[in-house]
Amino acid sequence: GQQVMQIPQYQHVQEGEDFTTYCNSSTTLSNIQWYKQRPGGHPVFLIQLVKSGEVKKQKRLTFQFGEAKKNSSLHITATQTTDVGTYFCAGTGNNRKLIWGLGTSLAVNP
Amino acid sequence: GAVVSQHPSRVICKSGTSVKIECRSLDFQATTMFWYRQFPKQSLMLMATSNEGSKATYEQGVEKDKFLINHASLTLSTLTVTSAHPEDSSFYICSASQGVTGIVWNTEAFFGQGTRLTVV
């Protein structure tokens, strides 16, 4: 079946360093969404990418959707302690179901 | 963004009893609601998808007689964990999508706050 692989599983950075998480799908996706889950909280929608090659920015966060619509990345510039949490990607497959990546847990040392 | 309310946020129950969890979309009509289970430090595991007015579609390995899902209206879905056992202890999260709006299939998911179930 369709799968979305997300790497790395964990990332530990020093405050101020950059961070990137990557998602790769086995098949072409209609769109890809990114969510953030703070420790003890529920996933919160960050953004959706729909177009091939699309790049969107939210302050220090940059989201990219690959040309083939099979991969995506989230890059955080100059991390802060408030960025701590697990970042999930979720792609809409050809059966219109959301397929979740396993998430990348980010820890930031102050 | 849209608001999804999930209740209760925490519940402790005795082994063998049943627990009902409610998921409500407060400011939009949710054509589709999803129920997830999440183990500590792991991703979301989709349990079932429910569409208003029809039977839920369960994922492989999820017992439909144990996890009863009802989606009676466009704003309410319930998950009942029947005859709960300690291994059912987990974090259960619902999410809701608007589904088709016009010709666009909107899969953006709005999540409830989650329910921490502990079975003793």
Side-chain angles (χ1 to χ4, degrees), chain B residues 5-41:
Chain B
S5 175
Q6 187 172 341
H7 179 80
S9 58
R10 289 180 180 274
V11 58
I12 300 173
C13 71
K14 289 186 177 179
S15 187
T17 61
S18 295
V19 174
K20 180 186 280 189
I21 303 169
E22 290 189 351
C23 181
R24 294 181 184 271
S25 58
L26 298 185
D27 51 2
F28 70 102
Q29 291 186 329
T31 305
T32 308
M33 286 191 173
F34 306 89
W35 287 96
Y36 295 87
R37 186 172 178 176
Q38 188 176 34
F39 292 102
K41 298 185 179 181

Side-chain angles (χ1 to χ4, degrees), chain A residues 2-54:
Chain A
Q2 292 180 293
Q3 291 184 330
V4 172
M5 306 299 292
Q6 188 172 355
I7 57 170
Q9 191 175 0
Y10 302 100
Q11 185 82 54
H12 208 139
V13 300
Q14 204 65 30
E15 190 172 21
E17 292 180 341
D18 293 355
F19 159 77
T20 305
T21 173
Y22 301 90
C23 277
N24 292 291
S25 168
S26 56
T27 57
T28 302
L29 302 168
S30 304
N31 60 51
I32 194 152
Q33 300 168 16
W34 286 91
Y35 294 79
K36 178 182 178 181
Q37 184 176 21
R38 293 182 185 274
H42 62 281
V44 174
F45 176 82
L46 293 177
I47 208 160
Q48 175 171 282
L49 304 173
V50 180
K51 299 177 183 176
S52 168
E54 190 170 12

Side-chain angles (χ1 to χ4, degrees), chain B residues 105-118:
Chain B
W105 185 267
N106 185 355
T107 57
E108 179 181 343
F110 301 98
F111 283 83
Q113 299 91 331
T115 298
R116 175 82 52 199
L117 170 63
T118 303

